Amino acid sequence: MVNFQINVKSVMRIAVVDKEKCRPERCNHECKLFCPPERNDVDVITIEKTARINEQTCIGCGICVKKCPFDAITIINLTHEAGKLVHQYGENGFRLFNLPSIKESKVVGLLGRNGTGKSTTLNILSGITKPNLGKVNGDVSWHEIIENFRGSEIQQYLERIKEKKIKVSYKIQRIELISKTYADRKVRDLLDGVEEEIIKEMGLDILLDRKVGTLSGGELQKIAIAKALSKDADFYFIDEPTSFLDIKNRIDVAKTIKLKLKDKSTLVVEHDLIILDYLSDFVHIVHGFPGAYGVVSNIYHTRRGINSYIEGYIKEENIRFRDYSLEFNYIKESKRLKEKLLYVPKMKKTYDSGFFLEVEDFYIYEGEIIGILGRNGLGKTTFIKLLAGIEKDDENMCDFDLKIGYKPQYINLNYEGSVESFINENIKLNEDIKNHLMKPLEIERFIHKEVPSLSGGELQRLSILYSLSMPADLYLLDEPSAYLDVEERIILGKILRRYAEQLNTSLFVVDHDLLFLSSVSDRIMVFDGVPARRGYAKQPVDFKEGINYFLKTVDITMRVDEETKRPRINKEESKKHIEMKSKGIYFEF
Ligand code: ADP
Ligand code: ADP
Ligand code: MG
């Protein structure tokens, strides 16, 4: 028999089969057919409902990964000990290593890519999921679990879960589930027991008589947070609190969490790095391979942890989890020297609902990115729709003959079928699109899934691909960072800068992630007004002036981190904040 003892040095092999993608009835079992040990009669792959890979006999060559027509297999050869195996979702399922620390009277953040086990971690710590230590075929006793964590900080905590002596409050990630479950109930019922003060502070008093099913994402989010904060518990788990919220809301929510939970132990998952930085005392990085495994790092002070995340390297543990460092560069080359692309006239738009928008006139230049900032309900989407020709302004002033690529805020591709067939039918593929859009957006990873079954982040990436692959003079992207994790946001930023700098196209980007917007925008357009009543769109100004003006309206000052140049919010009570405010400087970089 041939000896397959391997070319790949590894201490642990992880073979993951995506149960949704694996369809043995629709393929020729290529994984088994081409597997080198299998060809020599060594049992590695068993085909049942889905393929099962024996990690002991697998040699980690990765041929099955390439041969599988559905991209259902991931093989990882870990070259160093990942950590303590805490949980595994079935045979050849996702694996989570290590658990985070829980600190009394502190907020601890979890920072990592989608699909690396952050929600799984919260489910374990809140007692919803009993960890199985990777033993997928038998029952694991609490005694065994606790023994496994002997000597670590988390041991006592697990004992309390076992005794059911733990009071937790949990703000789940998927708030749309609340909307489904309580669709016909009044907000008032849902908020029963929530302190008057929190309801007022979060502006929920005006929603009390609305039905839960009619609420916007932002409104639901605030209700879920209010509910979680007002529950009397010892431990608070807050999963992605800023999704759907505008910047003002994000900061308000962060302030409320800090204030209400200052004597409690809190764990927060968040992808908006500026908010995570502002909110947390400590962070854990969760690294690994999305969908295959995740490792919770040691705990670090927030600044150190976020900087390591940005570098892609945890020095203290000698772990490199990304082969490049994220970069921030605020001042882009001046676009003023470039050609004018378009004159946007003064415009007005009135809706039946009574909302009224006014837009100042201005020029758009070739090859520039205009970042749009403003609270929810001030007409940003309306403005984008006027440019896209989807809505008409009151006086029909907006009339031009440009090719437009548009990504709406609420994505509905209206397509029943696989991602692959959507692409074949709707996108004219060429090398450029393959290399500069499909690859960085990692579309291949879900190309065999059905469009209606895509996760929020996958749908967002497909929709970005779709709009940017249309040949156009002007691209309009409405909240493209929603549902994306930090790396995906940075990658999107790079894609957009390439469109501006190399292809000389112009783009408008509406977004609430200040770090993302700061890293892409040449100029900033700020929307002012009263949400849902009237909006005022000021003409775009230089990045520095625009961001300063915007931060002033929300009473926040920001400095940049010396090491990484990432923006950081100054604490309200800090000397720096008071000093900057008195000088009228809201962003110092
Ligand atoms: P994150 O919160 O970091 O995005 P999750 O903890 O939600 O990650 O999921 C990590 C991985 O575990 C994903 O690949 C997901 O598909 C898988 N997973 C989550 N829940 C289950 C489950 N109940 N059964 C099987 N796999 C699951
Ligand atoms: P933003 O994108 O800044 O959050 P929008 O442009 O989506 O704001 O909405 C501004 C206001 O106009 C909101 O109060 C919204 O409810 C209202 N609105 C948007 N579209 C319509 C419409 N087709 N008919 C009536 N009211 C609308
Ligand atoms: Mg909008």
Side-chain angles (χ1 to χ4, degrees), residues 385-397:
K385 284 181 177 168
L386 292 175
L387 291 181
I390 293 170
E391 291 282 355
K392 284 273 160 244
D393 63 288
D394 294 349
E395 289 151 350
N396 250 325
M397 302 293 289

Side-chain angles (χ1 to χ4, degrees), residues 238-253:
I238 317 276
D239 203 350
E240 303 201 12
T242 72
S243 315
F244 307 107
L245 297 183
D246 66 33
I247 301 178
K248 177 80 165 54
N249 289 154
R250 287 178 189 205
I251 289 156
D252 287 349
V253 158

Side-chain angles (χ1 to χ4, degrees), residues 115-126:
T116 53
K118 300 181 300 303
S119 295
T120 301
T121 303
L122 296 197
N123 285 339
I124 290 172
L125 293 177
S126 57

Side-chain angles (χ1 to χ4, degrees), residues 82-360:
K84 244 186 220 319
L85 180 53
V86 177
H87 192 68
Q88 177 172 347
Y89 287 114
E91 200 178 355
N92 299 135
F94 175 86
R95 255 153 272 197
L96 174 70
F97 296 90
N98 302 342
L99 284 172
S101 319
I102 297 185
K103 298 252 180 212
E104 222 165 286
S105 310
K106 298 286 180 209
V107 178
V108 177
L110 290 184
L111 172 56
R113 302 209 56 181
N114 284 334
T116 53
K118 300 181 300 303
S119 295
T120 301
T121 303
L122 296 197
N123 285 339
I124 290 172
L125 293 177
S126 57
I128 294 174
T129 303
K130 184 178 173 192
N132 62 16
L133 308 176
K135 297 183 181 156
V136 293
N137 294 320
D139 196 35
V140 178
S141 70
W142 271 111
H143 177 74
E144 207 177 330
I145 296 167
I146 290 162
E147 274 304 303
N148 209 265
F149 286 92
R150 180 160 295 283
S152 72
E153 276 181 62
I154 207 80
Q155 182 193 349
Q156 277 191 349
Y157 184 89
L158 293 170
E159 270 169 19
R160 287 174 68 181
I161 298 190
K162 176 196 165 198
E163 309 284 328
K164 298 210 167 32
K165 277 193 193 142
I166 211 156
K167 275 193 288 182
V168 303
S169 176
Y170 189 1
K171 202 295 285 174
I172 57 169
Q173 176 182 358
R174 300 185 52 206
I175 50 167
E176 66 277 12
L177 297 177
I178 302 175
S179 175
K180 265 195 197 145
T181 314
Y182 301 102
D184 287 327
R185 299 275 290 279
K186 286 248 175 83
V187 172
R188 188 183 296 283
D189 302 341
L190 215 63
L191 288 178
D192 191 32
V194 175
E195 286 168 59
E196 203 70 22
E197 191 196 340
I198 294 189
I199 296 183
K200 273 243 172 68
E201 235 169 58
M202 299 188 79
L204 300 174
D205 40 345
I206 52 170
L207 300 175
L208 291 175
D209 289 311
R210 294 262 302 273
K211 280 198 176 155
V212 175
T214 68
L215 299 175
S216 73
E219 291 162 341
L220 268 174
Q221 186 68 271
K222 284 194 270 184
I223 287 172
I225 292 170
K227 194 96 187 130
L229 293 188
S230 61
K231 187 167 166 191
D232 179 33
D234 310 312
F235 298 94
Y236 291 77
F237 301 115
I238 317 276
D239 203 350
E240 303 201 12
T242 72
S243 315
F244 307 107
L245 297 183
D246 66 33
I247 301 178
K248 177 80 165 54
N249 289 154
R250 287 178 189 205
I251 289 156
D252 287 349
V253 158
K255 281 184 184 166
T256 310
I257 293 176
K258 272 167 96 97
L259 187 71
K260 291 279 166 221
L261 303 184
K262 65 175 185 299
D263 307 320
K264 309 286 187 175
S265 303
T266 307
L267 211 52
V268 177
V269 175
E270 180 53 52
H271 293 301
D272 182 326
L273 282 187
I274 293 184
I275 298 296
L276 184 80
D277 180 48
Y278 178 71
L279 188 56
S280 323
D281 301 302
F282 297 94
V283 299
H284 287 276
I285 292 171
V286 186
H287 54 89
F289 192 88
Y293 77 102
V295 183
V296 179
S297 78
N298 294 340
I299 192 163
Y300 298 102
H301 281 286
T302 302
R303 173 166 182 261
R304 182 75 233 119
I306 295 184
N307 284 1
S308 298
Y309 190 77
I310 283 172
E311 283 159 33
Y313 178 58
I314 310 174
K315 198 165 136 203
E316 294 81 349
E317 300 173 50
N318 192 24
I319 287 172
R320 177 163 288 289
F321 56 91
R322 194 191 314 107
D323 55 15
Y324 57 93
S325 168
L326 312 177
E327 280 165 32
F328 303 99
N329 172 21
Y330 304 102
I331 306 295
K332 321 282 180 312
E333 62 172 298
S334 176
K335 300 290 159 180
R336 286 306 156 77
L337 306 170
K338 297 209 165 184
E339 298 290 322
K340 288 171 182 155
L341 173 77
L342 178 72
Y343 172 69
V344 176
K346 256 190 194 337
M347 290 186 284
K348 294 182 174 135
K349 172 72 186 173
T350 320
Y351 279 128
D352 304 338
S353 59
F355 177 78
F356 175 64
L357 171 70
E358 249 181 298
V359 183
E360 289 185 356

Side-chain angles (χ1 to χ4, degrees), residues 371-481:
I372 297 184
L373 275 171
R375 306 207 52 186
N376 281 336
L378 289 178
K380 301 181 300 300
T381 294
T382 304
F383 169 69
I384 292 293
K385 284 181 177 168
L386 292 175
L387 291 181
I390 293 170
E391 291 282 355
K392 284 273 160 244
D393 63 288
D394 294 349
E395 289 151 350
N396 250 325
M397 302 293 289
C398 190
D399 181 24
F400 44 74
D401 193 19
L402 277 184
K403 277 193 285 205
I404 304 272
Y406 170 48
K407 190 211 73 76
Q409 176 177 0
Y410 297 106
I411 304 164
N412 183 2
L413 294 174
N414 250 333
Y415 190 83
E416 303 277 335
S418 73
V419 171
E420 191 167 35
S421 54
F422 174 85
I423 291 175
N424 288 338
E425 286 169 33
N426 293 286
I427 298 174
K428 259 206 192 131
L429 285 183
N430 56 38
E431 285 309 304
D432 212 57
I433 290 175
K434 282 184 193 156
N435 292 329
H436 296 295
L437 288 175
M438 304 242 322
K439 246 207 203 116
L441 290 169
E442 297 190 310
I443 303 289
E444 286 292 338
R445 298 199 58 183
F446 57 91
I447 202 156
H448 299 291
K449 278 174 93 170
E450 298 292 298
V451 172
S453 78
L454 296 180
S455 72
E458 291 165 344
L459 192 60
Q460 185 70 272
R461 278 143 65 197
L462 180 60
S463 178
I464 290 167
L465 166 70
Y466 178 48
S467 51
L468 289 181
S469 63
M470 287 184 238
D473 310 301
L474 179 64
Y475 292 94
L476 311 169
L477 304 176
D478 202 347
E479 303 204 13
S481 85

